[in-house]
Structures are given as C-alpha cells and as structure tokens.
Amino acid sequence: MRSIFKTGASALAVTTMLAGTAFAQELSGVLRISSDMSNPGPRAVMEQLAAEFDELHPNLTVDLTIVDREAWKTQIRNALSADPPDVVNWYAANRMAPFVNAGLFMDITEWWDAGDFAGLESVRGALTQDDRVWGIPYTYYQWGVYYREDIFNELGLSEPATWEEELANCQVIVDSGRACYTIGTRFLWTAGGWFDYLNMRTNGFDFHMALARGEVPWTDDRVRATFANWRQLIDMGGFIADHQNYSWQEALPFMINGEATAYLMGNFAVDQLRNGGLTDEQLDFYQFPIITEGLPQGEDAPTDTFHVAAGAQNVEAARAFLQYVASAEVQTRINGPEGLGQLPVNANASVADDEFIQQGFAMLSQNAQGGIAQFFDRDWPAEMASIGMEGLQEFMVFPDNLDDILDRLEAARQRVY
Amino acid sequence: MTDTSRDTATWMQRNRMTVTPILFLLPGLLFFTVYVIIPIFQSFQISLYDWDGLGAATYVGLENYRELGTDRNFEISLWNNVRWLALYLLAIPMGLFIALFLNQTVVGIRLYKSLFFFPFVLSQVVVGLVFSWFYLPREGLLNAVLQFFGLGTVNILGDPDLATYGIIAAGLWPQTAYCMILYLTGLNAVDPEQVEAGRLDGAKGWKMLWYVILPQLKPATFIAFVVTIIGALRSFDLISVMTNGGPFGSTRVLSFYMFEQALGEYGFRMGYGSAIAVVLFLIMLVFIGYFLWQMWRDERAARHG
C-alpha cells in the first residue's frame, strides 16, 4: 500500500516537472535561439516569447538572434554546422530533409512520446521523417481564394463550389473588364499554389502526394488533365497579364484597385490587403472549388516549426522552451490577432476571433478530409520543386509549351529521385 | 658562435637582392594562394563529387560534367554569356565617341563630364532597379513613350526572347561611362604635334581618328577591353535584381546559374555548382591568358624598344 502510494507520488512529481513550472529552479545557463521571424509582426511575437521565457526562469538567460526570413533559408546551414544555437526556426515536411539526413536536427521523438507536446498529435506527421520526429510546429495557416466581396455583389456572383460555377463566375468577371485572379509569379512559388490546388481537386490528395514522392510520371494523363483545367482559366483571360514580372506583393494592387477580383494565397495576404485599404466588408474567403466530384478535398496549410540543433548546448532549456511554445495557452496568444494572426497548432488552443482565421480553421478541421499538404516547395524535393515551379510559370505564360515542359519535368524526376 | 653569426650575416648580405623582393612579396603571395589559387583547385575537386554541403560527399567522377552536357538551363546560360560578351563590347565604341565629344573646352565641360560619368558611380543594384521600373509593362516610362507614338506596349523583362537584351542594355549604361573615363584620360595624353602633323598631311575626320588618334589610344583601348570582358563575365547583380534569372530561367548566365545551383534556396548541389564554376573559369582563362600574353609582349617591347 505504502509503496504504491510512493510510486504514485513520484510519478506525479515527474509529471509536474515536465509540465513546466518545476523547471523554474533547475534551468540555468544560456538558451540560444535563432529565429527567422523577421517581419515586424512576427518579430514582436518572438521577442516577447523570448523575454517571457527568460523571466520565467531566473537563472536562465535567453539569447535571441533574429535573422532575415529570406536570408535564413541559406544561413541556417552555416548556423547549424558551426557553433549551433540550441533552438532554430524552420519548415515542416521535405524542407527538413537535408538537415535530418545530415544529422543536424536533434531527434526529439522521446519528448513527443513522453507527452511533452499534448494537443499537437494531429501535426506529428508533418514533422516525421524515417519514423522519427525532428521538431515541433508553432503556427500554420490556410490557403484559399481571397476575393472582393463587393465586386462579386456588384456582378451578382456567389462563392463557387464547383468548377463549372467557377468558370461561369470567371466569364462574368472577364466580361466586366477585370481579371478573375491576380498573381505574381516572378519568384515562382505562387504558381506552385495553383498547381497544388488544381491537382488535388482534379486527381485527389493521394495522387498529389504520390506525384510529390516521384511515384508518378509527369507525363501521366492525369497530370495533363490538371493542366487542361488550368488552361481553361488561362485561355479565358482569368489571370492578370505580365504576372511573370511581379512578386506576390506587387500583384496585390490589382486586387486592391479592383482590376482583379480574387487571389489564391495564404492567409498572410489578409494583413496586406487590409493595409492596402480593403475593409472586411469588401473582402471574403472561399475554399478552392471542387473539380472532380466525390474526391475528399486536400488543402495546403504550410506549417512553420521549431527544431533543436543536434549540437545544442542547453538541451534541457531547449526542451522546456519547446514545451512552452507548444502549450495551449501560449499557442492561443502567439497566434491571436495581436500576434501572428494565424492558426494555433495545439488542439486545445482557441482560435482568434477573426473572420478569415475562423473560416480557415473551420475549413481545415471539417472540410479537408483528403489531407493537409505543406506546399509545392515543401512537399517536393528541393531540386524537383525549383525545376517544377519554373515549368509551371512557363505554362502560365505559354500554355502551348506544355508537352515540352512536361518532358523536361519528367526527365528531372527520373534524375532526382 | 661568433663564426656562425658572421656566416649568417654574410649569407644575408650576399643574397640581399634576391631575399628582399621575396620577403616583400611573401604576404601577398600567401593570401593570393590561400584565397585564390587553392580555392580554384578545390572547385576542380568538388566538381567531381555529389555533395549537398552538409553530409558526406560521394565521388561521381565526371558525372556532373556529363549532366551539364544534357542540361538545357546550362546551355541557355552559356548562350546568354556569349550574348553578354558580344553586346557588352559596344560599351567601348560608345564610350570612345562620348569621350571624343566631351574632349573640348567649353564653359561647364567639367559638369557635363561628371554628369556622363554619373551612372558609373551608382551601384549596379540601383541601375537594375531604375531600369526595371523603366521597363515596367504598364507604368514604365518606356511603354509610356511607345504609346505616345502610337506603338504597342512591350514587356521586355517578361519576354524570354527580349529579357536578356533588356538587362544588357541596362548594364551598358554604367559600362559606357567607365570606358568614357578611360578614353578621356587617354585623350589627354594624345600628342598635339602628331595631330598637327596629320592635319598638315591632310588627314581629317574619320581618317584622323583612325590613323592618328586611335593608335595613340591603344593603352586605353586595351584596359577598356579588359574591364568590359571581365564585367560581362561577372554579370550577376543586374540579373538578380531585374529578373532573378526569369522568366523561366531565360536570363540566367553561368555565374548566376552557379550561384543558384550551389547556394540558392533550392540548390545546394555543391558539386554541380562547382562544375559550372570550372567551365566559367576555363572561359575566363582564355581571356586572362590573352591579356597576360598581351601585357607581357608590351612590356618586353617597352624594355627592348
């Protein structure tokens, strides 16, 4: 009797320790974090996060370095190789692969199994490679069609649910002298978003992922069907002209000025559209329409992550920090409207009271039975992604080159995998 | 003891003429070896491997070079380099004519000269930005002018057939200014007596330029040629700023492609990038070899002549 009680008590003690507060006395030294949250909003979130964690642990000093988000994509390699920090920011899925393969990320499967990250189970898959888990997510966001509600009302249109409705809507918009969609393909990835959606809707999520894994040739008829659907929109003048000259931000004014009515984009565009002067009455969101009946919808929802470097000096503090970031309370706060304005990864966190975040959350939790994809440049291996996105851009400008483009992508597929 | 030290001293004294220049050259040679010579050989070595810059490198022999042979992007980059080399040389005659035009004494000529020299002072990034705004398909000045004359609009940087020429035109702007400065200094050294003599013999206009002025400008022409060739092969920043290699890779040159493959966001194929670097190095070597040979010949002529 006594011994059972004792075991129970010590188990309880261990649990409370893991739960966080008990760490307060034990953590010491320096926790070095390198973050890529360099845009003004995210930067403030990250700085506050580091300051709070520092305050929670009197003996611990948090040393935060924030690197420009674009620069970090190449700098992380040096940062992890020589004198690595303890915790770094990165992306889920295939983008982790080079660092996992090179042994630069720490295997934190045991922390997951120990229940450190309760409420994150649903996203574990995106952080898993070779059956081990290599990091934790801290935020994600939906993709979908952001459109000008006021122009839709003016033209008497409603949100399309099927491809036929979509094409009919687009015809009306084109006839009114506008483009249906704005897009800036100069940096290529925006075209990847279009391909993701068209392919997931035409052939389904599983086929899309098989293509990403290199199991299906690019010259497959099903892939051609995706491009044929895409071409319908291109040929009717659905996209703005000269999109190959613009970055995604430079394409925003077309929508803000009303020359284009919609934008297939991630939720981060909302902030920019609002800053550009559009009100929530003028803006709305719908899920990408269904093309093939009966296919469960797959969605793009890229996840941003934290990882522990393999060479981390202060592993205990890193573990406590990951727990802290993943906790429901912190998740609610950093993803809230005052913070990142995105979706929390913890199932127990509450979703911000924002029209678009709420819609995105409802869509991803109820209407994405097909599965959640990360994004073209995160699901495909890097080399295939870059050649692929270049081909997608060329297709959008010269749809007649399709055969040539697909042959090229197929040749690349055979070499890369 | 004393004997040895005297021996050392005499050895130093005997060889002072040899040792001193070596000592002076040593720091320079050391840095040149560490930062230039050794990396060149390292590039050769890395180009034989398949390596992502992080993990273990696998030896693949000449596989990277074989792949270059079938890589269409490499072919496009190579051809673009040829275009750059050929068209960039236009900077030399253009610079010469501006220099001839400005080589006169009128009020405020210093101001005009500095205005013409101005583009060379600008950073390449600024030049790239200015030109990409100039070329903008809707708001750009170029299309405004074309429309004013009733001509259609043109999207230079968005058209795979035109984009490279658009970037070269932007590059010619500062390069012409550079050549102009070289020729202006050269023109100061033109011997007035020879011009006078030519004039007495009835040389005018083109003949005067071709037979009297240009031969005296040969050193300036040589330097202009060197900097223009090197500038053309180094072209990177303008491409990066104006098109980022696009649309669909049609404006890449070897240096840009090498950067993308080795250090770009989706790259990190160090071996393949090094193979491109080696090809670029061999192309440069042809020109560098020619320049060195030319300089050596001139110097020898100067010494014996």
Side-chain angles (χ1 to χ4, degrees):
Chain A
M1 185 68 184
R2 210 184 145 196
S3 68
I4 294 172
F5 176 71
K6 224 176 164 181
T7 333
S10 60
L12 192 69
V14 169
T15 330
T16 28
M17 263 178 65
L18 284 178
T21 44
F23 270 123
Q25 289 84 41
E26 313 204 2
L27 292 179
S28 60
V30 180
L31 174 68
R32 291 163 62 213
I33 304 173
S34 282
S35 170
D36 70 344
M37 295 160 81
S38 62
N39 294 331
R43 188 184 185 107
V45 169
M46 188 64 225
E47 280 169 352
Q48 201 194 350
L49 210 55
E52 280 169 11
F53 192 71
D54 192 288
E55 228 163 79
L56 278 176
H57 305 281
N59 296 329
L60 182 79
T61 316
V62 177
D63 178 7
L64 173 70
T65 312
I66 292 182
V67 183
D68 175 73
R69 199 172 166 87
E70 290 303 315
W72 182 242
K73 288 173 180 169
T74 49
Q75 274 185 24
I76 183 175
R77 306 170 71 90
N78 289 337
L80 286 176
S81 316
D83 188 25
D86 299 304
V87 175
V88 295
N89 272 135
W90 194 237
Y91 309 102
N94 239 319
R95 288 297 283 268
M96 303 191 302
F99 306 104
V100 172
N101 294 338
L104 292 174
F105 281 163
M106 188 176 278
D107 175 359
I108 59 166
T109 316
E110 270 130 51
W111 304 354
W112 278 82
D113 291 341
D116 279 25
F117 312 119
L120 263 59
E121 289 79 9
S122 62
V123 276
R124 182 171 170 153
L127 276 304
T128 303
Q129 189 185 326
D130 307 329
D131 290 325
R132 311 299 291 172
V133 198
W134 304 95
I136 63 149
Y138 67 90
T139 188
Y140 72 119
Y141 49 90
Q142 81 270 19
W143 269 65
V145 182
Y146 295 85
Y147 72 99
R148 284 287 297 269
E149 198 177 3
D150 51 342
I151 299 180
F152 266 50
N153 289 339
E154 181 195 320
L155 299 174
L157 304 174
S158 54
E159 296 182 1
T162 66
W163 191 240
E164 288 71 36
E165 288 172 28
E166 167 67 35
L167 292 176
N169 270 2
C170 191
Q171 194 57 56
V172 177
I173 295 167
V174 169
D175 290 343
S176 78
R178 300 176 176 98
C180 311
Y181 292 98
T182 183
I183 182 171
T185 59
R186 179 171 172 188
F187 293 100
L188 307 176
W189 54 269
T190 46
W194 270 94
F195 179 79
D196 278 350
Y197 273 99
L198 285 160
N199 198 37
M200 282 193 286
R201 291 294 185 273
T202 308
N203 299 309
F205 178 82
D206 296 333
F207 176 85
H208 189 65
M209 283 302 153
L211 188 65
R213 288 191 300 270
E215 293 162 12
V216 186
W218 276 89
T219 42
D220 192 286
D221 280 341
R222 288 168 292 183
V223 179
R224 284 180 192 280
T226 299
F227 282 101
N229 288 329
W230 198 348
R231 184 160 186 169
Q232 288 180 299
L233 274 183
I234 296 171
D235 283 350
M236 69 199 293
F239 296 97
I240 59 164
D242 302 320
H243 53 75
Q244 69 269 33
N245 290 53
Y246 308 123
S247 67
W248 79 266
Q249 292 100 328
E250 286 165 344
L252 286 165
F254 292 93
M255 180 157 164
I256 293 167
N257 300 336
E259 293 167 67
T261 50
Y263 206 169
L264 177 69
M265 203 20 87
N267 194 62
F268 51 81
V270 171
D271 193 35
Q272 307 258 358
L273 289 168
R274 282 177 181 153
N275 287 342
L278 295 181
T279 62
D280 282 9
E281 281 74 50
Q282 291 174 295
L283 266 181
D284 206 351
F285 171 83
Y286 64 83
Q287 187 173 15
F288 198 89
I290 288 172
I291 296 179
T292 304
E293 283 297 327
L295 277 179
Q297 286 135 294
E299 287 293 328
D300 268 341
T303 308
D304 292 350
T305 56
F306 275 111
H307 302 266
V308 181
Q313 301 293 311
N314 201 341
V315 178
E316 277 311 302
R319 181 174 186 176
F321 181 73
L322 294 195
Q323 279 180 13
Y324 179 71
V325 172
S327 67
E329 185 259 326
V330 173
Q331 275 293 308
T332 305
R333 200 150 41 82
I334 66 172
N335 285 298
E338 303 297 309
L340 300 170
Q342 297 188 154
L343 294 166
V345 288
N346 194 314
N348 305 319
S350 44
V351 178
D353 181 23
D354 171 280
E355 186 187 345
F356 297 97
I357 300 177
Q358 289 284 352
Q359 288 194 60
F361 183 72
M363 174 180 85
L364 291 175
S365 48
Q366 293 150 30
N367 229 352
Q369 282 90 358
I372 305 279
Q374 287 299 318
F375 196 70
F376 194 91
D377 67 353
R378 301 187 190 183
D379 290 321
W380 265 259
E383 198 187 338
M384 191 67 226
S386 79
I387 299 172
M389 293 190 300
E390 213 165 273
L392 299 178
Q393 188 202 30
E394 183 173 348
F395 173 75
M396 286 192 74
V397 182
F398 297 116
D400 288 336
N401 293 1
L402 181 64
D403 286 326
D404 186 39
I405 295 167
L406 290 182
D407 287 344
R408 221 179 312 150
L409 296 195
E410 175 57 17
R413 181 186 74 91
Q414 287 174 7
R415 188 166 46 77
V416 170
Y417 295 96
Chain B
M1 268 311 261
T2 29
D3 271 323
T4 336
S5 71
R6 205 196 304 141
D7 277 354
T8 325
T10 46
W11 185 87
M12 269 302 287
Q13 272 165 352
R14 256 187 290 127
N15 296 290
R16 196 181 281 160
M17 291 296 280
T18 333
V19 173
T20 316
I22 291 179
L23 280 179
F24 272 112
L25 281 176
L26 203 61
L29 277 179
L30 194 74
F31 282 100
F32 192 68
T33 314
V34 170
Y35 291 109
V36 179
I37 306 291
I38 294 176
I40 289 175
F41 287 100
Q42 277 179 325
S43 299
F44 276 104
Q45 194 205 356
I46 294 173
S47 73
L48 303 177
Y49 287 84
D50 180 16
W51 186 41
D52 69 354
L54 290 174
T58 334
Y59 181 78
V60 291
L62 294 175
E63 193 47 51
N64 284 325
Y65 293 95
R66 221 164 286 142
E67 193 185 325
L68 280 180
T70 58
D71 185 347
R72 202 158 74 168
N73 286 332
F74 173 72
E75 201 186 313
I76 294 172
S77 311
L78 197 60
W79 275 113
N80 280 340
N81 260 122
V82 172
R83 290 191 186 103
W84 271 89
L85 276 175
L87 293 175
Y88 222 47
L89 289 176
L90 286 177
I92 298 175
M94 293 194 320
L96 173 65
F97 286 112
I98 295 175
L100 288 171
F101 176 64
L102 290 178
N103 191 39
Q104 47 186 312
T105 37
V106 289
V107 182
I109 191 68
R110 281 174 176 235
L111 177 69
Y112 304 138
K113 281 182 186 172
S114 31
L115 284 178
F116 273 93
F117 184 57
F118 182 66
F120 184 66
V121 181
L122 294 178
S123 139
Q124 294 265 304
V125 176
V126 176
V127 173
L129 269 179
V130 168
F131 266 82
S132 50
W133 291 334
F134 174 68
Y135 289 144
L136 272 180
R138 288 162 21 120
E139 299 88 348
L141 192 60
L142 176 68
N143 280 318
V145 171
L146 286 177
Q147 271 173 325
F148 180 78
F149 289 107
L151 301 161
T153 61
V154 57
N155 179 7
I156 291 189
L157 294 182
D159 184 331
D161 297 325
L162 293 178
T164 290
Y165 299 110
I167 302 174
I168 296 174
L172 279 175
W173 189 42
Q175 192 65 27
T176 303
Y178 194 6
C179 293
M180 178 201 79
I181 280 292
L182 292 172
Y183 277 121
L184 275 177
T185 40
L187 282 169
N188 279 337
V190 166
D191 185 358
E193 282 177 22
Q194 286 193 31
V195 178
E196 191 63 34
R199 199 164 280 156
L200 286 175
D201 289 341
K204 280 195 286 198
W206 292 106
K207 273 199 168 150
M208 173 71 99
L209 176 65
W210 190 254
Y211 293 107
V212 181
I213 308 285
L214 268 187
Q216 297 191 60
L217 287 176
K218 207 182 153 213
T221 308
F222 179 68
I223 297 292
F225 189 63
V226 172
V227 294
T228 306
I229 291 284
I230 292 174
L233 287 169
R234 282 197 325 179
S235 50
F236 177 89
D237 17 20
L238 281 177
I239 297 168
S240 176
V241 170
M242 291 176 75
T243 61
N244 200 34
F248 21 97
S250 59
T251 54
R252 285 192 188 109
V253 293
L254 288 179
S255 55
F256 191 83
Y257 193 42
M258 169 189 79
F259 173 81
E260 266 192 349
Q261 287 293 324
L263 302 162
E265 190 186 344
Y266 303 106
F268 294 108
R269 300 181 66 201
M270 296 300 178
Y272 198 58
S274 298
I276 301 169
V278 167
V279 173
L280 184 60
F281 174 71
L282 293 178
I283 297 174
M284 284 198 172
L285 204 58
V286 173
F287 290 101
I288 294 171
Y290 168 74
F291 295 148
L292 287 178
W293 176 72
Q294 187 80 21
M295 278 200 276
W296 175 76
R297 223 184 46 167
D298 287 355
E299 236 167 68
R300 204 184 46 169
R303 210 174 293 154
H304 296 291

